[in-house]
Amino acid sequence: MKKTTFIAIMVALASIVSQSIHAQTVFPGKQTIDKTEYPGIVLGTNISEKLLDSYWETYLSRFGNVKGKKGNYTISKASIPSVSASPIQLTSQVLSEQKNQSKIFLALFADGNYVADYNDRTYKSAESILKGFSDYAALREEVRIADEAFVTSEKAYQKLIREIDDKNK
């Protein structure tokens, strides 16, 4: 009974804390990737670069065959119907400006133009991709934090059981 209550409290606390740390901002920007400057949009978040990089690569695989190295990803023929019916050249980069403050830059080349104009329908669609990713990453982060809380609680419980057993002997 005590174990279940303790674990429930830890999971609830981890959920509250994780909801408060996932800030997001989406804005237009430019980024130099492999000596080429790209116009696009940026997502700022409070998830560490290492975790964000992993989440982003997994998320991008929904749109096509992801190629790239740590932090830089491309999809030469991305399928994103909400942006364009034609294949899209997707270029992106995961960066960290400070500890636990990272950003994702996304450049989409669709129908002969880069998506970067606020008033364009494609901008809203590209923005929704980043916001969708933000929700996906926040959920993955909540699960990771809850799992860590559970493991910590389980270890504390096992230690308590050992101490009780030692006292009873």
Side-chain angles (χ1 to χ4, degrees):
M1 176 73 176
K2 289 181 181 180
K3 176 184 175 184
T4 307
T5 305
F6 182 69
I7 291 171
I9 291 170
M10 290 301 289
V11 169
L13 181 61
S15 178
I16 291 168
V17 169
S18 68
Q19 287 176 3
S20 67
I21 64 170
H22 295 295
Q24 73 169 15
T25 54
V26 178
F27 53 92
K30 292 184 178 184
Q31 185 67 38
T32 302
I33 302 173
D34 295 331
K35 299 180 183 179
T36 304
E37 186 174 79
Y38 295 94
I41 56 177
V42 179
L43 168 72
T45 184
N46 291 339
I47 299 173
S48 73
E49 180 182 8
K50 180 180 176 184
L51 295 169
L52 194 66
D53 190 44
S54 170
Y55 300 160
W56 183 238
E57 184 176 9
T58 302
Y59 190 79
L60 281 179
S61 66
R62 298 175 177 189
F63 305 115
N65 186 21
V66 180
K67 294 179 184 174
K69 52 188 181 265
K70 184 182 178 203
N72 295 330
Y73 300 104
T74 60
I75 302 176
S76 58
K77 294 182 180 179
S79 174
I80 309 173
S82 62
V83 175
S84 174
S86 310
I88 297 169
Q89 171 66 40
L90 182 150
T91 306
S92 98
Q93 187 174 47
V94 178
L95 307 155
S96 180
E97 297 178 344
Q98 298 175 7
K99 184 177 180 182
N100 291 334
Q101 289 194 350
S102 304
K103 67 180 183 178
I104 292 178
F105 173 78
L106 176 64
L108 300 174
F109 188 72
D111 302 324
N113 296 306
Y114 280 99
V115 175
D117 184 5
Y118 280 119
N119 301 320
D120 192 2
R121 175 193 62 81
T122 57
Y123 180 87
K124 300 285 187 218
S125 297
E127 184 180 54
S128 71
I129 291 168
L130 286 179
K131 286 183 177 180
F133 169 72
S134 180
D135 293 342
Y136 168 83
L139 186 60
R140 295 260 323 246
E141 192 69 357
E142 283 182 38
V143 169
R144 184 189 67 78
I145 290 169
D147 188 49
E148 284 178 358
F150 177 77
V151 169
T152 302
S153 300
E154 186 69 26
K155 286 179 182 177
Y157 174 74
Q158 294 299 329
K159 182 179 177 185
L160 184 62
I161 294 296
R162 282 192 305 273
E163 289 173 1
I164 291 171
D165 287 346
D166 289 345
K167 286 182 182 179
N168 289 336
K169 288 183 181 179

